[in-house]
Amino acid sequence: MTRPSVVVTGVGLVTPAGIGATATFETLCAGRVTAAPDPQLRGLPVDFSYAVPDLRPDRALGRRLSGRMDRFSQMAVIAAREAVADAGLDPEDWPADRVAVLLGASGTSTPALAEDFMSHMQGHPERVSPQTALRSGTSAPVAEVALDLGARGPSLALSSACAAGNQAIALGCELLRSGACDVAITGGSESARTLVHVILLARARALSRRSDAPESACRPFDADRDGLVLGEGAGVLVLERCEDASARSVVPRAFLAGHGSSCDAFHYAAPEPEGRGAEQAMRAALADAGLAPGDIDHVSAHATSTPAGDLAEAHALGRLFLDVPPVTALKSQLGHALGAAGAIESAVAVLSLAEQTIPPTLNLDRQDAAIDLDVVRTCRRQAALRSVMSNSFGFGGHNTVVVFTDS
């Protein structure tokens, strides 16, 4: 039996590069996004981040709807609405019980939790909102998107650290292949610009400490990289079977040709030093897509700007490819949105394929001598792209890779 082809018919983005897919991609290609001091983080060990500019959820969603949501749910609904509209789908006129929603996040949303626990510790338990438990859970963005769009098919929240967004996309692909749904709304949403994330990740020595120069703190593959910079955002891809999109006379943005996952089973935080698990996931994605390493024209790297992580990924790429294709590291412009990062970067990879353009990596002033990669830096690069790979690797050794093609 021939396996059905899965295509991307819609893209939605809310990122530090802008609100909307077009705004995000144009800003990334111009290389204009930098981290900045963050008022929300004032007084913390690390006080800068990448924030979504001019996010006004009350205008986008209405005051009542946005008021019941935490920020990661607000961004998820905004991105999902854009993706569904981009796909030419009408929630008033689709088979709602055949529409799945699958979104990733690394964990619960912490802003409301932190405020409520503070109120309780200060002797004011009555100030703890009865809604916090519901709106802060990992499943909240999934529930809000399903409610907003009236999607009554499979509804799943994935929490596999920084690989969660790509895992949601991969699972959506499998649900379509199996016939469990006809439309899969997939991706991830997270706001990591929080007191809890900063305190915990700073103690884990995962964050860059360049408070004197936040705009150049995130330095993937650079010899002077010293840690990740927190960000936020949402990325949503609408997936359908190719024949269903054709029946609607929709031209796909890209084909989701394959995906692969693995686990390092090495350490609860550190990556396997040689990137063996990452390589395994990349090889699995290529096998699923029926492609050879030489067929890949561009890699969107996970590249978090951590000393160990970037080197491990470079080792994996070096073993997989005889000649590594052009690589970019979008976290240099977007920061690390944790569970949403993979979904955002996969959405940008789809746009790169459509526009035949690779956005640049910023702050790569002195490439690590141990990292022998062709990194697109400083400015965008026009390229003939037919197949692109998006890597996503998370704490705990979670690895998920997706491959997009133009046919």
Side-chain angles (χ1 to χ4, degrees):
M1 182 177 178
T2 303
R3 188 178 67 180
S5 296
V6 174
V7 295
V8 179
T9 54
V11 176
L13 283 166
V14 175
T15 76
I19 298 173
T22 298
T24 290
F25 193 70
E26 289 178 351
T27 304
L28 287 174
C29 285
R32 292 199 299 261
V33 197
T34 60
D38 190 334
Q40 286 188 189
L41 307 181
R42 189 176 292 119
L44 295 179
V46 174
D47 61 0
F48 59 95
S49 73
Y50 289 84
V52 174
D54 302 320
L55 181 65
R56 298 180 180 178
D58 55 336
R59 290 189 180 182
L61 304 174
R63 185 169 298 177
R64 183 175 180 182
L65 180 59
S66 66
R68 79 177 186 207
M69 300 181 193
D70 271 14
R71 192 171 174 90
F72 72 155
S73 292
Q74 295 168 344
M75 294 188 295
V77 172
I78 293 169
R81 285 184 179 182
E82 180 190 17
V84 168
D86 186 45
L89 290 165
D90 184 356
E92 297 293 326
D93 188 36
W94 64 13
D97 58 341
R98 301 288 298 167
V99 179
V101 180
L102 307 99
L103 299 175
S106 70
T108 58
S109 177
T110 60
L113 285 175
E115 290 177 13
D116 282 357
F117 274 103
M118 249 333 199
S119 294
H120 193 280
M121 295 298 290
Q122 291 171 352
H124 297 287
E126 75 282 356
R127 295 180 185 174
V128 176
S129 170
Q131 296 182 341
T132 299
L134 300 177
R135 76 184 201 182
S136 298
T138 310
S139 61
V142 181
E144 292 290 4
V145 168
L147 280 166
D148 189 67
L149 298 175
R152 298 197 300 269
S155 174
L156 297 169
L158 291 89
S159 182
S160 45
C162 312
N166 265 2
Q167 286 199 344
I169 294 169
L171 183 55
C173 178
E174 287 306 308
L175 290 181
L176 287 163
R177 286 174 174 177
S178 71
C181 68
D182 296 329
V183 176
I185 299 167
T186 68
S189 183
E190 191 139 30
S191 181
R193 301 168 41 245
T194 72
L195 176 149
V196 173
H197 282 110
V198 167
I199 290 176
L200 296 181
L201 290 174
R203 287 292 294 164
R205 294 184 292 182
L207 300 181
S208 171
R209 297 300 186 101
R210 287 189 169 91
S211 293
D212 58 332
E215 69 282 353
S216 59
C218 190
R219 315 178 65 81
F221 302 127
D222 192 84
D224 298 319
R225 66 191 184 279
D226 72 330
L228 62 88
V229 178
L230 291 170
E232 64 179 353
V236 175
L237 298 181
V238 173
L239 308 180
E240 299 178 68
R241 285 181 290 272
C242 185
E243 58 267 31
D244 294 336
S246 296
R248 298 195 299 112
S249 300
V250 170
V251 178
R253 280 188 171 271
F255 283 71
L256 175 47
H259 62 84
S261 293
S262 71
C263 184
D264 288 354
F266 171 77
H267 191 269
Y268 65 90
E272 195 281 320
E274 294 301 313
R276 300 291 179 185
E279 179 186 359
Q280 180 184 335
M282 287 188 279
R283 290 191 184 279
L286 288 172
D288 189 44
L291 298 175
D295 295 321
I296 298 297
D297 301 310
H298 162 50
V299 175
S300 178
H302 180 64
T304 60
S305 185
T306 57
D310 290 9
L311 186 58
E313 184 172 10
H315 286 328
L317 290 168
R319 286 194 306 273
L320 177 64
F321 293 100
L322 181 64
D323 184 15
V324 183
V327 172
T328 198
L330 294 173
K331 291 180 183 68
S332 66
Q333 296 201 61
L334 298 173
H336 199 341
L338 303 184
I344 292 169
E345 290 161 13
S346 283
V348 174
V350 168
L351 300 175
S352 289
L353 189 62
E355 300 297 329
Q356 300 286 281
T357 303
I358 304 172
T361 300
L362 302 188
N363 303 325
L364 183 51
D365 300 328
R366 187 166 64 94
Q367 189 162 325
D368 189 331
I371 295 177
D372 185 18
L373 299 176
D374 174 18
V375 183
V376 177
R377 64 174 84 183
T378 308
C379 60
R380 76 184 77 184
R381 183 184 298 182
Q382 299 295 129
L385 304 178
R386 297 196 62 188
S387 303
V388 299
M389 174 183 284
S390 178
N391 290 345
S392 192
F393 313 132
F395 288 133
H398 304 291
N399 307 302
T400 299
V401 174
V402 292
V403 172
F404 300 100
T405 64
D406 64 356
S407 63

